[in-house]
RNA sequence: UCCUCAGUAGCUCAGUUGGUUAGAGCACCUGACUGUUAAUCAGGGGGUCGUAGGUUCAAGUCCUACCUGGGGAGCCA
């Protein structure tokens, strides 16, 4: 009897010289061809390991149980492959089956499935090439983000997920309550009495960690958050989730320009990091997207493939222009003059529609665009008022295909101006006393932005729907798994 | 939430102006073959045509409502 062979990951067997040694791998069967060739995948990388069985020497009952989806432990000699399509393979000496998989009922077949179908079996879709690649990239992007900030001396700040403040103004919130849903305690007006609730007040899930991040930035200088975020908007699009992850750096002593510099450097770093560390998965997704493109009409196809597109982003400076300059370009643009825009651009102060942003990014500049200095009327209370009294020091980074990937601003650090803005927008300043306190005690110029994590992963993987870059998407009417 | 398109076998889809017993490929099962790469060849099983109403001699096909999904829009990250 041989000594027990330690399990290897398939990725390690492919990258280290182990030919001629006895190895053990464990994983899930992708296909079993010719009663002889098992394609086994353990998720460590895109590639399968081919395990070759001598079916004349194997028990037939065991062979019958090697079906798509079954989980196996395979031991044998790692050898140069005799066939084409793989460099090495395992000549099987023994097989242990951890888990059967009834081929009649297992929904994944060794063929292409639609993303819509896979979404319905989100518990099994990580076993596909596409989702394996997306999830590995999602990890790398996540790790790259922490590395970027850590290397720059930023501190990772954990902001609360349950929040008692509803002043963020970033949209509808999910209520968190322990009150009896049928017969809650009521106040004299007959409304639910949240003073009797778990926290003694009405609480919600966070829509942003920004305000808390600002508190920490005015002590630690440079911080960032990276956590779940919840929006109860009834948004049904390919780029919205009810639960998503957001990164929010906040920096003391950064003005708007420093903020834009950081945002651009950050995004480019993340993309470069992924290109360097996820080559194989990116190549797979690139090929996948190219195949998909072939079935589309010419004018809908992308000009550049996925990997080239990513490389292009890292190699070229983003276009920076003010809101005012953007309005000028849009006003004089062909689609505007020909009345092709659903929302014509005619006056300064209007909010830009996604068709306008898409025109600037995809047609006019053909690269990422940073718009800044927006009219005060269309932006949030905490953004710093510019000297013209008409605009605020806000900035949005717009990406091809997905639109706004980053939104940020220099924050209003002047106590009186901030208080005035809070009043103007009808927010109860009592809810924000702690926020205003930072402006009373040692205030400082500071800036920050928010990056939608899934939108970043969407751009890097080229996936068209945001529901396919998060393991278990939450959207209106869907909280399965 | 609004506009729009779609829902037929486990999956991907075809199904004529409403007209006999609703089809194909893949998957699955049986057999053959065995260095395969979405293996191949022969045979077989598999359907309340999204749900509920309605029109009609007759509905997968037409009408209404609802459900689910796609694309677009709004809100945003």
């Amino acid at each position: 009897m041989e000594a027990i062979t330690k399990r290897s990951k398939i990725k390690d067997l492919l990258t280290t010289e182990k030919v001629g040694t006895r190895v053990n791998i464990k994983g899930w069967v992708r296909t079993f061809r010719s009663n002889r060739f098992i394609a086994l995948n353990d998720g460590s990388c895109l590639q399968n390991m081919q395990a070759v069985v001598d079916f004349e020497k194997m028990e037939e009952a065991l062979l019958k149980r090697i079906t798509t989806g079954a989980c196996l432990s395979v031991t044998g000699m790692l050898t140069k492959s005799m066939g084409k399509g793989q460099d090495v393979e395992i000549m099987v000496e023994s097989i242990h089956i951890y888990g059967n998989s009834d081929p009649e009922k297992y929904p994944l077949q060794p063929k292409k499935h639609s993303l819509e179908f896979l979404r319905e079996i989100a518990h099994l879709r990580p076993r596909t090439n596409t989702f394996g690649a997306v999830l590995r990239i999602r990890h790398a992007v996540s790790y790259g983000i922490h590395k970027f900030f850590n290397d720059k001396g930023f501190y990772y700040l954990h902001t609360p997920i349950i929040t008692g403040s509803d002043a963020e103004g970033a949209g509808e919130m999910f209520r968190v309550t322990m009150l009896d849903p049928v017969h809650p305690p009521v106040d004299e007006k007959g409304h639910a009495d949240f003073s009797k609730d778990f926290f003694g007040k009405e609480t919600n899930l966070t829509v942003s960690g920004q305000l808390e991040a600002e508190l920490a930035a005015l002590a630690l200088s440079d911080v960032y958050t990276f956590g779940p975020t919840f929006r109860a908007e009834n948004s049904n699009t390919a780029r919205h989730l009810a639960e998503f992850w957001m990164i929010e750096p906040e920096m003391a002593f950064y003005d708007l320009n420093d903020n834009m510099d950081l945002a651009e450097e950050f995004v480019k770093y993340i993309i470069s990091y992924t290109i360097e560390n996820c080559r194989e998965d990116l190549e797979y997704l690139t090929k996948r997207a190219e195949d998909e493109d072939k079935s589309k009409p010419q004018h809908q196809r992308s000009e550049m493939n996925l990997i080239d597109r990513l490389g292009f982003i890292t190699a070229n400076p983003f276009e920076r222009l003010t809101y005012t300059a953007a309005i000028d370009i849009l006003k004089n643009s062909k689609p505007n003059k020909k009345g092709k825009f659903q929302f014509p651009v005619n006056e300064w102060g209007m909010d830009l529609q996604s068709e306008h942003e898409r025109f600037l990014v995809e047609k006019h500049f053909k690269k990422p665009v940073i718009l800044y200095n927006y009219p005060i009327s269309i932006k949030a209370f905490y953004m710093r008022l510019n000297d013209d009294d008409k605009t605020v020091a806000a900035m949005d980074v717009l990406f091809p295909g997905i639109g706004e990937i980053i939104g940020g601003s220099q924050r209003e650090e002047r106590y009186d101006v901030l208080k005035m803005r809070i009043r103007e927008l009808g927010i109860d300043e009592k809810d924000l006393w702690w926020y205003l306190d930072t402006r009373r005690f040692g205030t400082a110029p500071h800036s920050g932005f928010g990056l939608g994590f899934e939108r970043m992963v969407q751009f890097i993987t080229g996936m068209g729907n945001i529901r396919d870059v998060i393991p278990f998407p939450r959207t209106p009417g869907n909280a399965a798994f």
Side-chain angles (χ1 to χ4, degrees):
Chain A
M1 193 68 193
E2 300 286 335
I4 291 167
T5 310
K6 196 166 176 277
R7 179 224 176 176
S8 299
K9 288 209 175 173
I10 290 169
K11 184 184 185 182
D12 297 330
L13 294 184
L14 293 171
T15 50
T16 55
E17 193 49 59
K18 287 256 179 59
V19 169
T21 63
R22 174 167 288 103
V23 298
N24 168 262
I25 58 169
K26 300 176 195 296
W28 293 266
V29 176
R30 287 294 177 77
T31 62
F32 184 29
R33 286 184 296 268
S34 305
N35 212 20
R36 184 190 283 270
F37 304 101
I38 307 168
L40 208 66
N41 187 283
D42 66 3
S44 60
C45 60
L46 184 73
Q47 282 194 57
N48 302 325
M49 176 62 74
Q50 173 156 286
V52 186
V53 296
D54 187 343
F55 54 84
E56 282 163 348
K57 289 183 185 160
M58 280 279 171
E59 232 180 284
E60 212 173 307
L62 185 83
L63 289 174
K64 278 257 179 245
R65 292 167 62 207
I66 302 172
T67 54
T68 305
C71 183
L72 312 183
S73 173
V74 172
T75 306
M77 293 298 280
L78 190 71
T79 57
K80 288 254 175 244
S81 177
M82 290 160 68
K84 285 171 190 164
Q86 61 280 316
D87 294 334
V88 295
E89 62 194 15
I90 293 175
M91 301 305 289
V92 174
E93 290 164 13
S94 68
I95 291 181
H96 173 73
I97 299 181
Y98 285 117
N100 296 325
S101 175
D102 184 345
E104 193 94 40
K105 298 190 177 123
Y106 188 63
L108 289 171
Q109 298 160 17
K111 69 164 211 173
K112 213 168 217 141
H113 287 291
S114 69
L115 294 172
E116 292 82 12
F117 170 67
L118 292 174
R119 231 171 271 153
E120 288 166 18
I121 50 165
H123 58 307
L124 295 172
R125 66 180 183 171
R127 298 187 187 187
T128 63
N129 287 336
T130 299
F131 283 90
V134 167
L135 291 176
R136 282 185 294 271
I137 289 172
R138 188 180 160 102
H139 161 80
V141 172
S142 176
Y143 183 79
I145 287 167
H146 284 299
K147 183 164 161 48
F148 174 82
F149 285 123
N150 183 64
D151 291 353
K152 275 192 153 347
F154 281 60
Y155 297 109
Y156 178 25
L157 180 77
H158 298 98
T159 50
I161 289 168
I162 297 173
T163 171
S165 108
D166 57 357
E168 280 98 343
E172 289 293 306
M173 301 175 94
F174 287 102
R175 181 176 294 151
V176 176
T177 181
M178 292 298 288
L179 294 183
D180 189 305
V182 184
H183 298 293
V186 291
D187 57 21
E188 44 310 340
K189 284 178 187 160
H191 297 137
D193 184 0
F194 290 103
S195 71
K196 303 246 167 62
D197 205 347
F198 188 90
F199 294 106
K201 63 183 297 194
E202 196 170 345
T203 50
N204 299 291
L205 294 179
T206 183
V207 291
S208 165
Q210 179 201 315
L211 300 189
E212 287 91 347
E214 282 188 54
L215 312 182
L218 295 176
L220 301 170
S221 286
D222 299 323
V223 300
Y224 70 103
T225 74
F226 187 165
T229 309
F230 308 87
R231 304 270 168 93
E233 304 285 346
N234 191 6
S235 296
N236 287 290
T237 79
R239 48 197 109 71
H240 287 87
L241 291 165
E243 176 183 293
F244 63 100
W245 291 68
M246 188 156 64
I247 297 98
E248 294 175 291
E250 199 66 39
M251 302 75 66
F253 317 115
Y254 271 52
D255 67 12
L256 186 67
N257 272 312
D258 301 326
N259 202 17
M260 291 192 279
D261 288 344
L262 183 75
E264 180 167 344
E265 184 190 349
F266 172 57
V267 168
K268 286 179 170 172
Y269 177 90
I270 299 310
I271 293 174
S272 303
Y273 182 87
T274 314
I275 294 173
E276 276 164 39
N277 290 279
C278 304
R279 193 86 219 175
E280 186 185 42
D281 288 323
L282 278 177
E283 277 166 4
Y284 174 80
L285 292 173
T286 298
K287 195 176 169 301
R288 185 183 184 287
E290 279 173 345
D291 291 345
E292 199 112 298
D293 253 18
K294 281 175 195 162
S295 62
K296 286 185 189 162
Q298 195 90 43
H299 70 278
Q300 277 180 25
R301 296 182 194 173
S302 352
E303 292 175 28
M304 262 184 265
N305 74 26
L306 178 61
I307 287 187
D308 292 346
R309 206 153 64 225
L310 296 178
F312 178 84
I313 298 283
T314 62
N316 294 285
F318 296 0
E319 190 69 34
R320 296 186 193 186
L321 73 163
T322 63
Y323 165 89
T324 305
I327 287 286
D328 277 346
I329 290 173
L330 288 166
K331 252 196 224 168
N332 297 314
S333 67
K334 261 191 202 164
N336 195 49
K337 286 182 169 169
K338 287 186 177 169
K340 288 273 167 62
F341 283 140
Q342 197 190 331
F343 300 90
V345 179
N346 39 44
E347 62 182 90
W348 190 93
M350 67 179 286
D351 210 348
L352 297 180
Q353 305 293 317
S354 54
E355 60 177 346
H356 306 138
E357 296 178 351
R358 241 185 293 120
F359 172 80
L360 290 171
V361 173
E362 291 162 22
K363 294 273 163 4
H364 191 81
F365 292 111
K366 296 188 185 242
K367 58 174 166 171
V369 171
I370 308 182
L371 291 180
Y372 63 98
N373 287 351
Y374 280 84
I376 188 168
S377 58
I378 57 173
K379 288 291 180 182
F381 75 90
Y382 49 75
M383 298 186 174
R384 193 180 194 279
L385 184 62
N386 286 324
D387 292 343
D388 60 12
D389 280 345
K390 281 166 37 193
T391 60
V392 290
M395 61 110 173
D396 285 351
V397 180
L398 309 177
F399 259 45
I402 46 180
E404 185 181 343
I405 197 167
I406 284 178
S409 69
Q410 183 169 343
R411 316 306 189 189
E412 183 55 76
E413 86 282 13
R414 295 162 297 186
Y415 182 75
D416 294 336
V417 181
L418 182 59
K419 232 174 134 167
M420 186 190 75
R421 287 286 291 142
I422 287 173
R423 281 207 199 113
E424 276 174 10
L425 293 174
I427 301 165
D428 191 348
E429 66 185 74
K430 280 197 230 90
D431 290 338
L432 288 171
W433 64 272
W434 45 275
Y435 185 71
L436 282 159
D437 253 12
T438 55
R439 274 62 169 176
R440 291 170 65 204
F441 306 118
T443 192
H446 62 289
S447 299
F449 60 81
L451 171 112
F453 179 64
E454 280 77 15
R455 288 193 183 169
M456 191 72 218
V457 177
Q458 228 189 317
F459 183 78
I460 291 175
T461 57
M463 299 298 283
N465 196 312
I466 200 165
R467 298 167 195 202
D468 297 329
V469 298
I470 189 166
F472 306 104
R474 268 81 184 95
T475 51
N478 186 4
F481 310 104

